[in-house]
Amino acid sequence: MSGIVIKNLNVWFDGAEERVNAVKNTNLKIVQGESFGLVGESGSGKSTILRALTGLIPTWSGEMNVTGERLGRHRTRQFYKKVQMVFQDPYAALHPRHSVDQLLSETLRLHGFSNVDRRIEKLLDNVGLGPTFRFRYPHQLSGGQRQRVAIARALAPEPEILLLDEPTSALDVSVQAEILNLLDDLRRAHKLTYLMVSHDLAVVGHMCKRIAVMQMGEIVEIMTIEQMRDLNPQHPYSRHLLESSLGYKRQKEQVPQKP
Amino acid sequence: MSVSGLPSGNHPKWRSWLLTDTPTSRHHARIASLYQGWLSFRSNPMAMFGLVILLMMGLIAVFAPLLAPHDPFVQDLSNRLAPLGADDHLLGTDSLGRDILSRLIYGARITLYIVILVALIAPVAGLFVGTVAGYAGGWIDTILMRITDIFLAFPRLVLALAFVAALGAGIENAVIAISLTAWPPYARIARAETLTIRKSDYISAVKLQGAGPFRIITRHIWPLCISSLIVRVTLDMAGIILAAAGLGFLGLGAQPPSPEWGAMISEGRKFILDHWWVATVPGLAIFLVSLAFNLLGDGLRDVLDPKDSGS
């Protein structure tokens, strides 16, 4: 069964003078239960695809299907029960005046759950936070803890698909690994489908089975993770991206000799 | 915050319960954060000074009949314009022989009444208009903000005068007139705050939970606007008292024989050269209360500003 199918997707932003085409003629198919990565440099339109999927950007054309349902202009609450998103910056994604408890209980109530108290405890437990974190405010949490809270919020409606918008790029390296392992465990435990955006090939390599490389709003290549590990991409841009992610390669220097 | 500077170790039990980092229930968490806000407010002596003055004024207004040495309306023409410290009249008497101290004490009721009503109406109206305009954007924003601009373009007292003239003199109409002229700045502040908030990730995140615009505005945008509005309100209180006094002074607010402070100044003006205290004493009362509100506003800004909290 197909999780997400995108056909001929165009997304644009209407600027003051001209329209900016952020995503052009994109086709994508993500199987249910799969973990799929979208990579590319900043501004290549990766996050824009996620935002168009969730309905945060209204200016798009083409066709988007999620679990067999075609998406229209407006997203229903039913849709948000299936698809949730984790944002890039955990410092911006939590309301500064709402405690963890307020945040999660509001989310749970919006989705019509009863026994909110028990569910909050369970959610916090799922993301590796103890009950002591329940009444903390965001400013009392570290970046990694905030991202865990944000993940708990995304898990609250018990979604099938999780959209991850560079979930670790704002965190330092040791915390990154923790969050990635947590996401991996959660995917297995809850049979989730991941669509993950990143510019970090190592992160995507850790998490995903297939990746799509984007450049200037277009998908230039879709490859499996093995192809990536074998350094065997077809498209020159993918190769360039891969090489630059390997770090600075010391070239045999040819020191110009002074005559 | 200065909380960390407190001596630790020998706190009574309720104290450590209030200062805990790990509250055990929703209720506990709310009380603890209130208490910690109070501690940081208390460390500001000027703000405490303002608060004490206002609390005293509130008590004076409530217990006016017990505190006032005389009936504020009883005239004694044989003892008119008695000076400060005269027998039985600590602050003297006015042109009709009424005890100025008693009139001041009863006048506190009217002043508080005006201030509280305006403080309830104007910021709420402004908050509503501003957040709706800022969040909705587009033509709703344009219409609401042009209306706001029209109100802002008039000098405040002149507009209030026009409203009172149209509605008729009296305290209630003065309150309505002042509120009508006071809301546009709040709308501006609320809109500016909303514009910075509405594109943020945490608003997007709650949209992704299926929340509608009404919930987003009231639950997520209002709490972030309210702190800057409260500060602005307390700073405006002085202006509101003065506007009410100004209307009273012009004979368009409280009507005689009501002991409204502005009206008292207006009456005393006729004798200001020979009997200066008749106008000066209510003027000092207005000054003191305005100052108290300003100091309180300064202290509240330190406690409430979300940009500072968390450090």
Side-chain angles (χ1 to χ4, degrees):
Chain A
M1 193 179 162
S2 59
I4 303 172
V5 181
I6 292 172
K7 283 180 196 157
N8 294 325
L9 178 70
N10 288 288
V11 187
W12 63 90
F13 298 104
D14 285 316
E17 307 233 318
E18 53 184 327
R19 155 190 292 205
V20 179
N21 292 307
V23 175
K24 292 171 243 171
N25 269 326
T26 297
N27 294 292
L28 206 60
K29 194 168 176 181
I30 297 162
V31 187
Q32 195 144 32
E34 190 184 18
S35 179
F36 192 93
L38 267 180
V39 296
E41 61 192 14
S42 7
S44 60
K46 317 172 297 265
S47 302
T48 310
I49 291 183
L50 295 197
R51 289 183 169 257
L53 258 175
T54 52
L56 290 175
I57 301 174
T59 49
W60 57 273
S61 68
E63 196 183 321
M64 294 195 278
N65 294 284
V66 170
T67 62
E69 259 176 77
R70 189 166 173 176
L71 301 180
R73 287 291 117 182
H74 294 282
R75 304 286 182 278
T76 57
R77 202 164 279 185
Q78 225 50 46
F79 171 81
Y80 292 127
K81 224 167 147 58
K82 279 192 300 203
V83 182
Q84 278 294 317
M85 178 158 155
V86 176
F87 289 85
Q88 175 175 11
D89 182 4
Y91 291 88
L94 304 180
H95 194 286
R97 296 251 135 186
H98 287 181
S99 66
V100 175
D101 177 66
Q102 279 171 289
L103 184 104
L104 293 177
S105 60
E106 180 177 32
T107 305
L108 288 166
R109 290 219 174 81
L110 275 168
H111 288 285
F113 287 108
S114 52
N115 62 356
V116 169
D117 284 330
R118 263 229 342 271
R119 277 176 185 273
I120 289 176
E121 280 166 26
K122 199 164 150 249
L123 281 170
L124 287 178
D125 187 49
N126 277 346
V127 296
L129 293 174
T132 49
F133 288 94
R134 184 168 166 188
F135 298 102
R136 296 254 176 108
Y137 285 87
H139 65 79
Q140 295 167 310
L141 303 173
S142 71
Q145 289 165 344
R146 286 176 190 225
Q147 197 60 298
R148 284 169 192 265
V149 172
I151 292 169
R153 170 174 62 192
L155 289 177
E158 302 181 338
E160 297 167 31
I161 297 171
L162 216 52
L163 308 175
L164 305 165
D165 186 1
E166 308 205 28
T168 56
S169 65
L171 306 172
D172 67 56
V173 180
S174 60
V175 183
Q176 273 187 17
E178 278 177 31
I179 296 289
L180 289 176
N181 288 334
L182 171 70
L183 285 169
D184 232 9
D185 294 345
L186 288 171
R187 192 171 77 85
R188 235 167 279 133
H190 298 264
K191 301 193 170 53
L192 295 164
T193 308
Y194 280 178
L195 172 52
M196 181 174 197
V197 159
S198 184
H199 58 250
D200 188 341
L201 286 175
V203 166
V204 171
H206 181 83
M207 294 284 297
C208 303
K209 285 278 167 289
R210 289 197 304 150
I211 61 174
V213 180
M214 285 192 79
Q215 183 194 19
M216 315 270 285
E218 285 172 279
I219 292 184
V220 295
E221 186 173 3
I222 297 181
M223 56 181 159
T224 62
I225 208 71
E226 285 77 24
Q227 269 175 298
M228 189 191 98
R229 291 227 178 87
D230 296 344
L231 303 180
N232 191 21
Q234 304 300 311
H235 194 275
Y237 178 73
S238 325
R239 203 170 304 138
H240 172 71
L241 196 69
L242 203 55
E243 275 166 10
S244 55
S245 81
L246 292 175
Y248 176 68
K249 262 193 287 186
R250 186 177 298 242
Q251 282 164 352
K252 289 206 175 90
E253 288 162 64
Q254 280 151 7
V255 181
Q257 301 284 316
K258 269 184 193 159
Chain B
M1 279 205 287
S2 66
V3 179
S4 53
L6 289 164
S8 59
N10 53 357
H11 287 166
K13 208 167 182 185
W14 61 269
R15 193 99 193 256
S16 54
W17 187 80
L18 282 170
L19 289 173
T20 178
D21 273 342
T22 52
T24 49
S25 71
R26 231 161 262 173
H27 203 57
H28 185 181
R30 190 160 311 142
I31 294 174
S33 73
L34 279 179
Y35 181 68
Q36 281 161 26
W38 161 246
L39 283 185
S40 91
F41 181 82
R42 205 178 58 176
S43 65
N44 182 341
M46 293 311 276
M48 281 305 284
F49 176 72
L51 183 69
V52 167
I53 290 182
L54 292 175
L55 283 179
M56 272 168 51
M57 183 174 157
L59 290 176
I60 287 173
V62 169
F63 296 109
L66 300 175
L67 292 170
H70 295 275
D71 187 320
F73 302 112
V74 167
Q75 303 179 4
D76 179 8
L77 289 178
S78 63
N79 192 21
R80 65 195 289 267
L81 297 172
L84 294 181
D87 281 350
D88 211 19
H89 298 290
L90 191 62
L91 296 178
T93 59
D94 68 3
S95 59
L96 295 172
R98 296 173 293 199
D99 182 46
I100 290 180
L101 178 61
S102 309
R103 286 179 68 75
L104 270 187
I105 290 172
Y106 274 89
R109 287 184 159 185
I110 300 172
T111 303
L112 270 190
Y113 174 76
I114 292 173
V115 162
I116 289 173
L117 273 187
V118 173
L120 284 179
I121 297 170
V124 172
L127 181 67
F128 189 80
V129 171
T131 48
V132 168
Y135 186 73
W139 60 270
I140 298 178
D141 183 30
T142 311
I143 291 175
L144 288 176
M145 290 328 284
R146 290 303 80 76
I147 294 174
T148 312
D149 285 343
I150 291 170
F151 274 88
L152 271 176
F154 283 100
R156 197 157 155 186
L157 198 59
V158 173
L159 190 60
L161 270 177
F163 276 119
V164 173
L167 297 168
I171 295 177
E172 284 78 13
N173 289 342
V175 167
I176 294 171
I178 295 170
S179 305
L180 278 172
T181 59
W183 68 267
Y186 302 118
R188 271 291 172 82
I189 294 175
R191 177 173 175 270
E193 294 261 348
T194 309
L195 287 181
T196 63
I197 297 165
R198 72 167 181 166
K199 290 279 177 204
S200 64
D201 279 353
Y202 50 84
I203 298 297
S204 298
V206 74
K207 271 190 204 161
L208 295 195
Q209 309 300 341
F214 180 76
R215 171 181 285 268
I216 291 174
I217 289 177
T218 55
R219 296 280 189 85
H220 295 260
I221 293 180
W222 280 10
L224 293 172
C225 296
I226 278 174
S227 51
S228 57
L229 279 192
I230 287 181
V231 170
R232 174 77 201 226
V233 169
T234 53
L235 294 178
D236 276 357
M237 282 300 184
I240 292 168
I241 295 174
L242 294 176
L247 287 179
F249 178 78
L250 294 166
L252 292 168
Q255 295 302 300
S258 152
E260 201 268 321
W261 293 349
M264 286 170 72
I265 298 180
S266 169
E267 282 170 31
R269 179 188 43 149
K270 289 171 246 169
F271 321 102
I272 197 153
L273 291 180
D274 303 324
H275 311 280
W276 53 269
W277 62 90
V278 181
T280 307
V281 170
L284 282 177
I286 291 174
F287 160 75
L288 194 65
V289 173
S290 306
L291 180 71
F293 270 116
N294 274 334
L295 294 176
L296 181 73
D298 246 15
L300 280 180
R301 173 168 48 204
D302 294 344
V303 177
L304 289 174
D305 196 345
K307 283 150 204 121
D308 289 345
S309 68
S311 55

